[in-house]
């Protein structure tokens, strides 16, 4: 028997002087294999063309459609209505600047992040178009890929206790990105340089270990492991920095 | 009025746009990339399978070379490609892959020793040479003589895009997201930039640029069922077509991918079949070898899509509430392979279908996937018609794909063309000055302002934009699907003429303030209907079958009359059909027209047969 679903959706258009933040209710009939992508597009086309939300790939690959679904950050495109109760509340992701209704500005946040941690391979080498590629162990490539799978949806940041309390916290997505470069033999940054980026309270030591990031990550990144190992590595780095060289210890990620 | 000036304006910040941007920034020019989504959400990120380049490191790629790659590409295109461009591409592809490796892409690498692979569902072993250990590995894709597709699991597009965007951040390229170019600034001879609308505030800005690049990807979203991201709506092509002087090439050349899932039309990669997956019908019978004994599931996409449709028309499809489909079977590849090398596929099946591909079959059918068509450019990536306008990637008809693109070549094209066109843009910027005509800029700006006002106030009418779009969806699929014929195409052209009139009367239901998304669509609906009309009208006029363009009433490939490229311009804004012109498909014939070796079909030969021109000879 098809259900009638009730959606409570956060509405506010900051560009409209007459708009005030409020919740608006919609009802829609449930269909087979229905996802929130289908629901929101139908609502806009059939009931309310002013409704704002973001999708791009609608296949769980691009990370555009992060929102808070019944209290939990997740990707709307791969959320099936059959896994949800009859009444569903949709809110925009917190932390990120609101553009309107369910649409937030993740782009600005992430671009600032790339700058802060210099999210690229640091190397003094120069590319030689005539040379064969440098070799890499396939297992290393796969380990890098495992962390490179982050889609920057922002769900881990939105779910993070520390991020909600301090604006400058880097968040799991950023720390994971740093870990990705630490694993990469092409990045020549030293442990000391990494420590300067994340060995602080806005970095790895700000993490309270609540680990909602891992719970909500739609790509199932092993964030608990990544954060744990980074913390250990950076703690040793802090000690190493003051120890004589023969006492220093290297922690592998 | 906001005015921003730069050397290079890239409209689109996917792989092609960013690669060109990086080249220009690297050479000291100022660059701005505009993107309607944060750059990393571009559709490039969704390409799972890989990039073709003749590195020849893997056991099954041994003996590969740019020459073999070239032959595959020309055959794949059904001799519709520009052979000079295809040659440029195959020669540069290996360098581009190595450059991506240098910048940080975690390509899968050769693991030495005996390895088990699958072909046609059957396992076999191959010996990977110890001396190649750690070099870039490759997998199998359709229509290729060698295993040539470089890959990162099945997240290749994602990894390459992230790497390139990292590089762009490093080079200080200014990537402005949630901004959409809605018109080019030009005087009929020179392009001077674009008028763009901010998708955060709704504000308009004039970007003045000495060089402007259209790199907005494909226009799959003029079809209702498409594997494309919702942002692939043809926006960039519309701005080019609206100039009235820039032609779009081969608009009838639209690719249908064999394996979109049913429902939701999300793509599962060709890597599934490349790695040994098979196609089954309602009796779970593997039918492709009956049609294509040699290549089976790995014939080119146009051929596999046609054979699947043919098979379903015989009543052998699997019925479902969403129409007939077939099955993709990858169960025999085993849990380890599926959960690691086909991980995205695994996730898509589980999240969107509730199907576990390790144990269950995947429902698939051919779905609109790629636009071989695009802004027609020369081999330098310079658009016809306007000086200072360039295009690259899926948005362009550079034309290495002709009438059918092989798997693993669109992603490769983005970075290879990006590298090449980046070079020519740098040359252009180094040697050319532009006069920015302020009246052109003000005119363009005012025109867009007026359009927005008219849509908000409904001064042209109150047509519902979604209703118009739905009518367009129905009509283009009826005429310009996998199989086409004159009667249906004529009907579609007539209907689209009416729909175009409706599109010109659209008015908003909402207030249009700020980042209003109804307004975003309303601003491009007329252009989308024009694109749909270009597809149908060009398809109606091309009375032959070539690559993805299949006419039931003209089944032969007619090299005598149609070895050419369609050029469509929209001469006057109130025209109802495009103006079509034609140019030779290629000026050089390294490989004169011949049999593809798959797909069957008759050929009406070109007489006298052209002589083969020597390798690397320029036209």
């Amino acid at each position: 028997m098809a259900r009638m679903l009730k959606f409570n959706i956060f509405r506010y258009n900051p560009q409209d002087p007459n708009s005030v933040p409020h919740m608006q209710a919609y009802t829609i009939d449930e269909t087979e294999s229905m996802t929130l992508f289908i629901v929101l597009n139908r609502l806009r086309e059939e009931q309310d063309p002013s409704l704002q939300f973001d999708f791009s790939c609608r296949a769980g690959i691009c990370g555009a459609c992060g929102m808070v679904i019944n209290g939990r950050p997740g990707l709307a495109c791969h959320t099936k209505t059959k896994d949800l109760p009859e009444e569903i509340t949709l809110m925009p992701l917190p932390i990120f600047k609101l553009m309107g209704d369910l649409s937030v500005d993740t782009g600005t946040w992430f671009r600032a992040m790339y700058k802060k941690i210099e999210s690229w391979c640091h190397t003094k080498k120069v590319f030689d178009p005539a040379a064969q590629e440098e070799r890499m162990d396939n297992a290393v490539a796969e380990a890098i890929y495992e962390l490179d799978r982050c889609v920057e949806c922002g769900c881990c940041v939105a779910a993070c206790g520390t991020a909600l309390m301090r604006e400058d916290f880097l968040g799991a997505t950023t720390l994971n990105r740093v870990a990705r470069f630490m694993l990469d033999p092409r990045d020549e940054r030293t442990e000391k340089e990494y420590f300067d980026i994340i060995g602080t309270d806005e970095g790895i030591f700000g993490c309270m270990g609540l680990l909602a990031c891992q719970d909500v990550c739609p790509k199932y990144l092993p964030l608990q492991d990544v954060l744990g190992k980074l913390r250990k590595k950076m703690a040793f780095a802090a000690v190493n920095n003051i120890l004589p060289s023969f006492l220093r210890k290297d922690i592998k990620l | 009025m906001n005015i921003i000036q730069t050397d290079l304006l890239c409209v689109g910040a996917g792989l092609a746009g960013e690669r060109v941007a990086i080249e220009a920034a690297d050479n000291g020019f100022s660059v701005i990339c505009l993107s309607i989504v944060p750059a990393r959400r571009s559709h490039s990120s969704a390409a799972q399978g890989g990039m073709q380049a003749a590195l020849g490191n893997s056991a099954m790629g041994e003996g590969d070379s740019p020459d073999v790659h070239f032959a595959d590409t020309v055959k794949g295109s059904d001799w519709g490609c520009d052979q000079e461009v295809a040659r440029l591409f195959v020669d540069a592809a290996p360098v581009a892959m190595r450059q991506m490796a240098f910048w940080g892409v975690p390509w899968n690498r050769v693991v030495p020793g005996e390895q088990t692979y699958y072909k046609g569902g059957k396992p076999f072993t191959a010996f990977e040479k110890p001396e190649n250990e750690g070099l870039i590995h490759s997998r199998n894709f359709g229509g290729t003589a060698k295993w040539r597709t470089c890959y990162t699991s099945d997240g290749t597009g994602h990894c390459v895009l992230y790497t390139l965007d990292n590089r762009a951040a490093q080079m200080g390229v200014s990537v402005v997201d949630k901004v959409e170019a809605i018109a080019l600034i030009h005087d009929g001879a020179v392009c001077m930039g674009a008028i763009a609308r901010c998708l955060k505030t709704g504000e308009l800005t004039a970007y003045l640029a000495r060089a402007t690049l259209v790199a907005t990807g494909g226009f799959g979203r003029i079809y209702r069922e498409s594997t494309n991201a919702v942002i692939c709506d043809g926006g960039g092509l519309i701005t080019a077509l609206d100039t009235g002087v820039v032609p779009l090439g081969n608009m009838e050349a639209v690719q249908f991918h064999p394996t979109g899932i049913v429902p939701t039309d999300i793509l599962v990669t060709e890597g599934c079949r490349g790695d040994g997956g098979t196609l089954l019908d309602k009796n779970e019978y593997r039918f492709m070898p009956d049609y294509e004994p040699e290549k089976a599931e790995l014939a080119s996409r146009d051929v596999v899509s046609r054979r699947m449709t043919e098979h379903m028309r015989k009543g052998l499809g699997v019925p479902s509430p969403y129409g007939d489909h077939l099955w993709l079977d990858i169960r025999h590849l085993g849990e380890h392979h599926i959960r690691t090398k086909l991980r995205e596929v695994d996730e898509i099946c589980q999240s969107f279908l509730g199907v576990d591909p390790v144990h269950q079959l995947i429902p698939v059918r051919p779905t609109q996937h790629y636009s071989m068509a695009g802004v027609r450019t020369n081999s330098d990536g310079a658009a016809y018609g306007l000086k200072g306008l360039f295009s690259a990637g899926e948005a362009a008809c550079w034309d290495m794909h002709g009438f059918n693109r092989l798997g693993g070549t669109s992603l490769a094209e983005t970075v290879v063309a990006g590298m090449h066109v980046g070079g020519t843009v740098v040359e252009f910027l180094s040697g050319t000055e532009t006069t920015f005509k302020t009246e052109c800029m003000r005119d363009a700006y005012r025109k867009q302002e007026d359009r927005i006002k008219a849509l908000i106030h409904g001064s042209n009418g109150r047509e519902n934009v979604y209703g118009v779009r739905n009518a367009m969806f129905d009509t283009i699929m009826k005429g310009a699907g996998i199989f086409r014929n004159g009667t249906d195409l004529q009907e579609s052209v007539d209907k689209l003429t009416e729909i175009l009139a409706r599109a010109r009367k659209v008015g908003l239901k909402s207030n249009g303030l700020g980042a209003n998304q109804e307004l975003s669509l309303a601003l491009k609906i007329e252009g989308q209907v024009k694109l749909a009309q270009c597809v149908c009208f060009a398809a109606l006029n091309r009375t032959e079958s070539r690559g993805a363009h299949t006419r039931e009433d003209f089944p032969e490939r007619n090299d005598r009359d149609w070895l050419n490229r369609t050029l469509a311009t929209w001469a006057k804004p109130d025209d109802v059909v495009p103006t079509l012109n034609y140019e030779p498909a290629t000026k050089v014939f390294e490989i004169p027209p011949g049999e593809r070796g798959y797909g069957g079909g008759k050929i009406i030969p070109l007489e006298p047969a052209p002589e083969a021109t020597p390798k690397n000879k320029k036209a």
Side-chain angles (χ1 to χ4, degrees):
Chain A
M1 191 49 200
R3 297 189 297 174
M4 282 306 282
L5 301 176
K6 185 182 174 205
F7 280 86
N8 301 306
I9 298 180
F10 175 83
R11 301 300 312 273
Y12 176 51
N13 180 1
Q15 302 298 320
D16 179 354
N18 297 320
S19 175
V20 283
H22 65 285
M23 299 300 291
Q24 191 169 340
Y26 300 89
T27 49
I28 190 168
D29 56 303
E30 188 174 26
T31 54
E32 204 181 319
S33 304
M34 195 179 217
T35 62
L36 293 186
F37 170 73
I38 297 171
V39 170
L40 288 168
N41 277 290
R42 269 189 60 198
L43 288 180
R44 181 153 73 200
E45 288 181 32
E46 296 166 12
Q47 302 187 26
D48 189 345
S50 70
L51 192 57
Q52 290 182 42
F53 50 82
D54 289 323
F55 285 99
S56 178
C57 78
R58 60 81 177 88
I61 293 169
C62 81
C65 61
M67 58 183 69
V68 180
I69 304 154
N70 277 350
R72 198 182 166 88
L75 294 184
C77 71
H78 74 186
T79 301
K80 295 187 279 288
T81 53
K82 76 173 170 58
D83 299 333
L84 297 170
E86 250 163 63
E87 190 163 341
I88 299 153
T89 300
L90 301 180
M91 302 284 286
L93 289 183
I95 313 270
F96 302 99
K97 189 178 174 192
L98 182 78
M99 297 292 102
D101 303 341
L102 299 173
S103 169
V104 296
D105 181 5
T106 52
T108 305
W109 193 95
F110 277 97
R111 290 215 89 76
M113 177 272 260
Y114 312 153
K115 281 232 173 80
K116 220 184 278 177
I117 62 159
E118 302 193 348
S119 166
W120 51 81
C121 272
H122 288 56
T123 178
K124 292 196 181 65
K125 292 179 193 149
V126 178
F127 176 66
D128 174 3
Q132 198 174 46
E133 65 271 25
E134 256 184 51
R135 287 165 198 257
M136 180 185 271
D137 190 72
N138 191 53
V140 172
E142 285 182 347
I144 296 169
Y145 175 63
E146 177 66 16
L147 303 189
D148 216 16
R149 291 186 306 113
C150 169
V151 295
E152 299 189 353
C153 59
C155 288
C156 63
V157 180
C160 174
T162 307
L164 285 170
M165 290 188 298
R166 51 182 305 163
E167 234 179 65
D168 60 358
F169 184 56
L170 293 173
T173 177
T174 313
L175 295 165
N176 175 71
R177 177 67 47 79
V178 173
R180 177 242 175 271
F181 284 109
M182 283 182 179
L183 278 179
D184 196 327
R186 291 166 294 199
D187 194 314
E188 294 164 358
R189 278 181 278 190
T190 61
E191 188 180 77
K192 171 97 177 39
E193 287 172 283
Y194 284 124
F195 185 84
D196 288 343
I197 302 169
I198 59 163
T200 59
D201 279 356
E202 59 176 280
I204 190 66
F205 299 122
C207 169
M208 299 186 289
L210 299 175
L211 297 174
C213 51
Q214 163 129 5
D215 289 346
V216 300
C217 176
K219 301 312 278 185
Y220 309 106
L221 290 171
L223 294 171
Q224 176 176 353
D225 266 19
V226 169
L227 294 174
K229 285 179 185 164
L230 267 186
R231 191 181 188 83
K232 195 165 154 196
K233 193 172 169 68
M234 287 300 113
F236 271 92
V239 178
N240 280 343
N241 285 343
I242 50 170
L243 285 181
S245 59
F246 64 94
L247 283 174
R248 289 181 190 176
K249 198 172 164 185
D250 184 39
I251 299 293
K252 286 250 180 303
L253 272 186
Chain B
M1 181 170 178
N2 305 318
I3 304 169
I4 293 171
Q5 191 186 325
T6 179
D7 286 324
L8 171 64
L9 179 70
C10 292
V11 182
L15 284 176
E18 287 208 327
R19 184 63 191 83
V20 173
I22 287 167
E23 197 67 27
D26 218 357
N27 284 278
F29 294 103
S30 63
V31 187
I32 296 174
C33 290
L34 305 181
S35 177
I36 56 179
V37 288
R40 295 181 191 209
R41 314 215 191 288
S42 302
H43 192 47
S44 304
S45 72
Q48 300 160 7
M51 293 190 173
Q52 277 200 41
L55 291 163
N57 298 326
S58 66
M60 298 302 292
E62 215 178 301
D64 200 6
S65 71
D67 289 348
V68 183
H69 189 184
F70 177 78
D72 285 343
T73 308
V74 174
K75 283 180 199 166
S77 80
D78 221 354
W79 273 270
C81 73
D82 182 330
Q83 295 198 14
E84 190 186 323
V85 168
R87 172 52 71 181
L88 262 172
F89 167 75
V90 297
D91 286 349
V95 179
M97 299 309 122
R98 289 175 177 140
Q99 188 172 46
M100 291 303 130
F102 181 79
W103 284 342
V105 172
W107 295 117
N108 277 89
R109 304 293 181 129
V110 174
V111 178
E114 211 149 83
Q115 305 292 334
T116 303
Y117 300 116
Y118 285 83
K119 199 168 188 179
K122 302 231 164 43
F124 69 96
T125 53
F127 188 77
E128 297 288 359
K129 287 183 181 164
E131 62 265 35
N132 285 349
E133 178 174 6
L135 297 177
I136 298 171
H137 196 235
S138 55
R139 61 165 36 142
N140 199 9
F141 258 46
T144 65
K146 302 282 177 187
W147 289 25
R148 184 185 297 129
T149 307
C150 312
Y151 64 100
T152 298
S153 179
D154 57 358
T156 312
H158 169 92
C159 286
V160 179
L161 181 61
Y162 273 50
T163 299
L164 215 49
D165 194 44
N166 282 336
R167 178 77 184 162
Q170 181 185 2
M171 300 304 302
V173 172
S174 160
V175 182
V176 193
D177 69 57
K178 294 216 171 200
V179 176
E180 176 163 36
I182 55 173
L184 294 176
I185 304 169
H186 69 99
D187 61 4
V190 178
C191 181
M192 295 166 246
I195 305 292
R197 175 171 168 258
C198 176
L199 302 179
K200 295 174 184 173
T201 62
E203 274 178 1
L204 294 184
T205 299
Y207 286 89
L208 291 174
R210 289 200 286 139
T212 305
L213 176 87
V214 175
T216 49
F219 54 81
R221 286 285 163 179
I222 64 172
Y223 286 81
R224 181 182 284 116
E225 281 93 28
S226 169
T227 65
N228 288 188
V230 297
I231 55 172
C232 300
D233 53 16
L237 267 66
I238 293 169
T239 62
L241 191 64
D242 278 347
T243 63
V245 290
V246 176
L248 304 181
N250 282 344
M251 285 300 281
E252 64 273 41
V254 176
Q255 179 169 81
F256 288 76
H257 192 290
T259 57
I261 62 170
V262 181
T264 70
D265 313 306
I266 296 167
L267 180 79
V268 292
T269 174
E270 184 157 323
C272 291
R273 285 170 294 131
D275 290 0
T278 55
L279 292 167
L280 309 179
D281 64 16
K282 71 172 183 186
N283 303 316
E284 299 194 16
Y285 170 74
R286 185 177 169 218
F287 58 92
M288 274 307 294
D290 297 350
Y291 295 99
E292 297 292 332
E294 173 106 356
K295 293 258 177 197
E297 283 85 356
L298 286 172
S300 60
R301 289 175 177 174
D302 58 327
V303 171
V304 179
S305 290
R306 260 194 311 273
R307 299 302 197 189
M308 289 169 77
T309 310
E310 219 176 313
H311 203 66
M312 285 192 282
R313 282 179 173 185
K314 290 179 185 164
L316 292 163
V318 186
S320 86
Y322 304 95
D324 285 3
H325 62 76
L326 293 158
W327 298 116
L328 173 65
D329 185 8
I330 57 171
R331 295 171 300 182
H332 50 277
L333 302 183
E335 180 153 10
H336 177 72
H337 187 92
I338 293 171
R339 307 264 197 251
T340 56
K341 293 245 166 77
L342 296 170
R343 187 171 181 157
E344 286 293 338
V345 172
D346 187 28
E347 273 185 35
I348 286 168
C349 291
Q350 310 250 18
S351 312
F352 295 92
L353 295 171
V355 161
D356 179 355
V358 175
H359 303 291
Q360 290 168 285
L361 299 171
I362 309 167
V364 294
R365 73 172 157 223
T367 309
Q368 191 289 335
H369 179 60
Y370 188 80
S371 324
M372 276 76 76
V375 176
R376 176 62 184 145
T377 70
N378 65 15
S379 62
D380 289 342
Y384 288 16
L386 282 182
K387 200 178 153 198
L389 182 65
F390 295 81
S391 185
E394 189 175 349
C397 181
W398 188 35
D399 211 5
M400 55 170 282
H401 302 306
F403 277 76
N404 174 67
R405 166 175 87 72
L406 295 178
T409 54
S410 72
L411 207 53
E413 181 190 9
T414 58
V415 292
V416 176
M419 187 166 79
H420 180 76
V421 177
T424 63
V425 165
V426 164
E427 255 175 61
F428 176 84
L429 288 172
S430 309
T432 322
E433 293 301 333
T434 306
T435 308
F436 293 126
K437 296 183 181 164
T438 53
E439 77 268 26
C440 292
M441 177 187 72
R442 280 180 197 287
D443 275 358
Y445 190 97
R446 206 169 299 128
K447 223 180 192 170
Q448 297 310 314
E449 239 178 5
D450 291 347
R451 280 180 72 208
I452 291 170
K453 274 184 205 144
L455 287 167
I456 290 176
H457 299 120
S459 18
N460 299 324
R462 283 285 177 195
E463 273 284 353
N464 180 332
V465 67
Y466 298 105
V468 174
R469 192 173 65 166
N470 273 321
M472 172 185 75
F473 285 158
D474 291 338
T475 312
I476 189 169
M477 198 53 201
K478 178 95 198 302
I482 293 174
F483 286 100
R484 302 157 177 195
N485 64 69
T487 317
D488 288 343
L489 280 166
Q490 185 62 56
E491 193 189 313
S492 289
V493 168
D494 295 342
K495 270 205 183 142
L496 282 167
T497 304
E498 291 163 28
I499 296 167
L500 184 57
R502 282 173 62 193
R504 287 166 174 159
K505 292 183 188 137
V506 161
L508 298 191
K509 290 210 293 194
S510 58
N511 63 16
L513 291 177
N516 186 287
Q517 292 165 336
E518 188 191 16
L519 177 58
S520 305
L521 179 60
L523 278 168
K524 71 181 75 138
I525 188 68
E526 183 184 342
Q528 286 191 321
V529 177
K530 284 180 179 170
L531 292 182
Q533 186 68 302
C534 286
V535 173
C536 291
F537 195 63
L540 175 65
N541 281 276
R542 182 172 286 273
T543 48
E544 66 149 359
S545 293
R546 183 181 298 275
H549 172 69
T550 310
R551 284 285 296 260
E552 290 166 305
D553 42 354
F554 296 95
E556 300 87 9
R557 190 182 90 197
N558 184 344
D559 289 341
R560 187 188 60 207
D561 305 316
W562 288 103
L563 193 57
N564 59 19
R565 180 176 301 105
T566 311
L567 299 176
T569 45
W570 209 276
K572 286 194 237 67
D574 49 356
D575 281 353
V576 293
V577 289
T579 307
L580 300 186
N581 287 292
Y582 295 90
E583 66 174 7
T586 183
K587 289 180 194 151
V588 294
F589 283 101
E590 243 187 78
I591 309 180
E595 296 267 355
R596 296 171 99 186
Y598 46 81
K602 275 207 189 121
I603 298 171
I604 300 172
L606 174 64
E607 279 167 4
E611 271 182 43
T613 19
K615 190 169 140 181
N616 287 328
K617 180 148 190 305
K618 290 233 170 193

